[in-house]
Amino acid sequence: MITVDIILKYFPDLTEKQIAQFTQLESLYKEWNAQINVISRKDIDELYIRHVLHSLGIAKVQPFKPGSRILDVGTGGGFPGIPLAILFPETEFLLVDSIGKKIKVVNGVAEGIGLTNLTAEHMRAEKVKGEFDFVVSRAVTAMPDFVKWVKKKCAKKQNHALKNGILYLKGGDLTEELKEFASITLFDLPTYFEEDFFETKKVVHLPLKFKPTNR
């Protein structure tokens, strides 16, 4: 059984509150999953590797600064948004999904661990208003389609080492899917995590140019 210790292995500087929040995720997800299935039976036993630590791969690539805004599109049961919101309590997160019952789980878990920097809404990405430093996601669709959904949602002002844009968790051979994007950078997760699960997993960074709307 994989425990919360796997998170402490890679993020040893967590506060007591953060450790408590990460620890609570297991029982909360098991409880919610029994009512609304958002995680497969196999994955629930490896929650901390397959969902929590995987989500935190984004944090290894680009830590978020206080006051920044992050949009998680197609969050499902709250990944990568919930683990990132625990890790960066001074960053504001908006999690959206087009399936309402999944957002019910996200809100239930967030409330259960006392997350105050996260909002979850039942809506499609195209309908989201506002600007964000980064748009994060876990392989909800092919990158060309994803870009169409979110291309106007990144703020012009840069606050991080990486340019504002998409941070996308993906696995496998991405050559064909990403061939039209010249400015993409791939970060291999085995650089940061040694578990076999991450062997082909990557974080894809795609900067998005800000285009002001014509008034």
Side-chain angles (χ1 to χ4, degrees):
M1 186 74 179
I2 307 296
T3 69
V4 73
D5 289 343
I6 193 82
I7 308 303
L8 286 162
K9 174 181 173 181
Y10 293 107
F11 297 91
D13 300 326
L14 297 177
T15 65
E16 290 300 320
K17 181 178 180 181
Q18 288 171 317
I19 294 169
Q21 288 175 320
F22 278 122
T23 303
Q24 286 172 277
L25 289 181
E26 184 177 18
S27 60
L28 280 166
Y29 273 110
K30 283 184 174 176
E31 188 181 315
W32 275 103
N33 218 47
Q35 303 170 52
I36 300 169
N37 197 318
V38 291
I39 297 172
S40 73
R41 295 282 179 259
K42 179 183 72 174
D43 280 8
I44 200 81
D45 289 333
E46 295 193 14
L47 177 78
Y48 285 110
I49 283 187
R50 292 173 173 263
H51 294 278
V52 182
L53 192 58
H54 189 206
S55 296
L56 295 176
I58 288 173
K60 288 292 189 185
V61 169
Q62 178 59 76
F64 299 134
K65 293 187 176 178
S68 51
R69 298 187 74 215
I70 310 299
L71 172 64
D72 176 4
V73 170
T75 190
F79 302 101
I82 285 179
L84 290 170
I86 296 172
L87 194 64
F88 301 109
E90 294 178 39
T91 297
E92 187 182 330
F93 290 83
L94 173 60
L95 281 57
V96 300
D97 201 284
S98 59
I99 300 173
K101 64 182 181 181
K102 292 184 176 180
I103 292 298
K104 185 177 179 182
V105 174
V106 173
N107 280 321
V109 172
E111 190 177 320
I113 61 173
L115 275 183
T116 56
N117 59 326
L118 180 151
T119 306
E121 294 187 18
H122 172 209
M123 65 193 304
R124 299 184 66 83
E126 302 94 321
K127 303 290 184 188
V128 174
K129 301 279 191 260
E131 295 171 0
F132 302 85
D133 294 82
F134 293 99
V135 180
V136 300
S137 191
R138 256 199 335 173
V140 290
T141 188
M143 186 62 92
D145 293 327
F146 190 76
V147 170
K148 287 175 191 168
W149 295 353
V150 304
K151 61 184 176 184
K152 294 180 180 174
K153 307 212 184 295
C154 281
K156 191 174 186 178
K157 188 181 178 194
Q158 305 282 338
N159 297 308
H160 296 79
L162 293 181
K163 289 182 178 176
N164 292 359
I166 294 168
L167 289 167
Y168 209 52
L169 290 160
K170 272 278 198 175
D173 185 354
L174 305 174
T175 312
E176 188 66 24
E177 182 179 333
L178 302 179
K179 64 182 181 183
E180 68 184 81
F181 303 107
S183 57
I184 247 169
T185 307
L186 300 178
F187 297 88
D188 294 320
L189 286 182
T191 305
Y192 311 101
F193 306 137
E194 64 183 15
E195 285 70 23
D196 291 345
F197 171 74
F198 298 104
E199 190 177 344
T200 64
K201 302 285 193 295
K202 299 172 178 67
V203 175
V204 180
H205 173 239
L206 175 63
L208 290 180
K209 288 180 181 172
F210 177 85
K211 292 180 182 174
T213 52
N214 295 322
R215 297 198 181 281

